[in-house]
Amino acid sequence: AAVTVAYNDRIYPGVKIWRAVSILDGAYLVIEILRSNKEHVYDRWFHGVPDQSNGLEGIPLDMKLRNDPLGSEGGYQTLTNLSSAVTGKNLNCDWIVPVSGKRKQFMLSMSVLNNTPLEVIHGFEWSHQFRTREKEFLLLSRKAKNADFIVLYEPHSGTSRLTKSERFTVTNEKGSTMDAAVGVNITLGKTSYEIILNPTGETVQAAGGLTNKVFSIVKK
């Protein structure tokens, strides 16, 4: 699998951010780890909801109108038609991608691995492609000192190959929990992957044995 890992601690003072992007046989896994010594509201944007798709209908939550604006500066004031819901479970969205003249329906699936309260916000924003607020977005928002976002994107022709997606606790060589690391098990079709993002580079237990790699992937 192809993977890139990036780190930044200069965008938001006091917040350390690690992001790993990996391509798994046509699916795209993004893992983000955010760590701080105080509480923040962490917003994770997805600007790629397909144009003229089934948008809000593709989100399987009881989305209610959100009258409160998301903010008054930094672009938040340009957002409109907000709807939101809170979930503590995994989230699987499926959007139709309109393709003119094609008989086969093309889809984009977005799977969010989640185990803590998460606000899911849908709305519209300005885009250089449009004269009005017509570009859809989906925002994942969490208030905490430390936060993780794990999202898998899968374009497909109508049937997702994702059969398993779950987090697991990463442990060091002594069996103690590694709070700074994130572990994910993904199964696409007949292929399973164990993935660990371990930003501190400490020795952890993986399916292939002990490793101190920042990003470890084992195909099963």
Side-chain angles (χ1 to χ4, degrees):
V3 61
T4 296
V5 180
Y7 168 74
N8 197 300
D9 61 358
R10 296 171 298 165
I11 300 176
Y12 306 104
V15 180
K16 298 179 179 179
I17 306 171
W18 292 269
R19 172 180 288 174
V21 180
S22 182
I23 303 174
L24 307 174
D25 190 22
Y28 303 84
L29 178 66
V30 181
I31 303 176
E32 293 170 338
I33 297 176
L34 301 103
R35 296 290 182 264
S36 180
N37 57 5
K38 64 180 182 180
E39 191 174 70
H40 297 273
V41 174
Y42 297 109
D43 289 343
R44 187 191 190 283
W45 292 85
F46 179 55
H47 301 281
V49 177
D51 296 336
Q52 301 178 357
S53 71
N54 54 329
L56 195 59
E57 296 177 3
I59 307 169
L61 295 174
D62 186 16
M63 304 288 282
K64 303 292 187 182
L65 289 178
R66 191 184 197 277
N67 294 318
D68 296 332
L70 290 176
S72 59
E73 58 184 5
Y76 282 88
Q77 71 275 15
T78 69
L79 309 177
T80 188
N81 291 19
L82 302 177
S83 300
S84 72
V86 175
T87 182
K89 300 179 180 179
N90 288 351
L91 171 66
N92 296 299
C93 302
D94 292 292
W95 290 297
I96 297 172
V97 182
V99 181
S100 177
K102 300 291 185 180
R103 293 185 179 180
K104 292 184 178 180
Q105 181 170 275
F106 195 64
M107 304 286 293
L108 174 65
S109 294
M110 173 182 176
S111 301
V112 181
L113 278 68
N114 178 55
N115 58 5
T116 56
L118 179 71
E119 185 177 13
V120 180
I121 303 168
H122 174 273
F124 292 81
E125 60 184 327
W126 290 100
S127 170
H128 66 87
Q129 297 172 305
F130 304 109
R131 296 181 180 178
T132 58
R133 298 180 178 113
E134 297 178 17
K135 181 62 181 173
E136 293 186 59
F137 68 87
L138 187 69
L139 174 65
L140 307 178
S141 184
R142 175 175 287 129
K143 188 175 183 179
K145 286 202 303 183
N146 300 320
D148 303 325
F149 294 103
I150 306 171
V151 184
L152 183 80
Y153 301 101
E154 183 194 7
H156 55 85
S157 59
T159 303
S160 171
R161 295 180 300 117
L162 180 66
T163 57
K164 180 180 181 180
S165 58
E166 63 181 17
R167 296 184 57 154
F168 68 87
T169 301
V170 180
T171 57
N172 62 17
E173 53 189 331
K174 296 181 179 180
S176 300
T177 299
M178 296 287 294
D179 292 330
V182 171
V184 184
N185 284 314
I186 298 287
T187 300
L188 288 164
K190 297 180 179 180
T191 305
S192 296
Y193 303 89
E194 182 204 76
I195 297 161
I196 298 175
L197 178 57
N198 175 30
T200 62
E202 297 184 46
T203 301
V204 298
Q205 299 186 41
L210 297 177
T211 181
N212 60 1
K213 292 180 179 180
V214 171
F215 189 90
S216 168
I217 181 166
V218 178
K219 185 182 291 188
K220 302 178 182 178

